[in-house]
Amino acid sequence: MITIVSFSICPFVQRVTALLEAKGLAYTVSYINLSDPPPWFSELSPTGQVPLLVTEAGEALFESDAIVEYLDEIAPPLVAGLSPVQRAQDRAWSTQASKHYLPQCSAMQSADRAVLTEREAPLHAAFDRAEAAIGDGPYFRGNTLGNVDIAWLPLLHRAARVEAHSGHDLLQGHPKVKAWQHALADTGLFEASVSADFNADFDGFYLSERTYLGRGADPTEACAPRPAQPTSVCCG
């Protein structure tokens, strides 16, 4: 069986596990502490990052883009019959998502309102592009869930978690993206692609008292700087 090596709140890992869930492929997850990784992980991972996929034959694959391509080669694609141009377009839109995982992580760690506003700017630009590209929905390519939906899922899941906790909507002004978020939530993949500890771990890191969002995103709060932890770069 495929094994995914992970830590619980990595968006790059969720992209992989969401695709596994959507394809109905069997897998197990091995959670590690990236600050003190086990020796076997260091031997398997050239980068020391997650996700890491270990095949049934014990071969290790790293980098989420490469893992997604591998999964599309060993199992039928989510959307059949795409032309080479359409597949390339889907890869490009998927890259638009994954390149904003870490900027979103950084924005969610903002210590005050001013920093959040600054760090949200590239996210809003990405959501602007998605808003213009989405058709009639409910998914990116219409009625069929595809790889682009899976790539954007971690961004949209985290935006939903933030809004539920703080009332701050990272998708404000993007009604099509908001509807897309709701459609993906309705698939059950938000919950199915993360661990049972995800909400607690996510809230403890991004929605604690040290962050503006964790304190409820109060618009009247003074913009006094507060210490914030650096964005994790241990997944990719």
Side-chain angles (χ1 to χ4, degrees), residues 68 72 106 108 147-148 175 186:
V68 165
D72 273 345
S106 178
M108 293 186 301
N147 280 15
V148 177
D186 287 344

Side-chain angles (χ1 to χ4, degrees), residues 134-152:
I134 296 170
D136 295 331
Y139 306 119
F140 190 82
R141 278 199 174 275
N143 292 322
T144 305
L145 183 79
N147 280 15
V148 177
D149 304 293
I150 297 299
W152 285 79

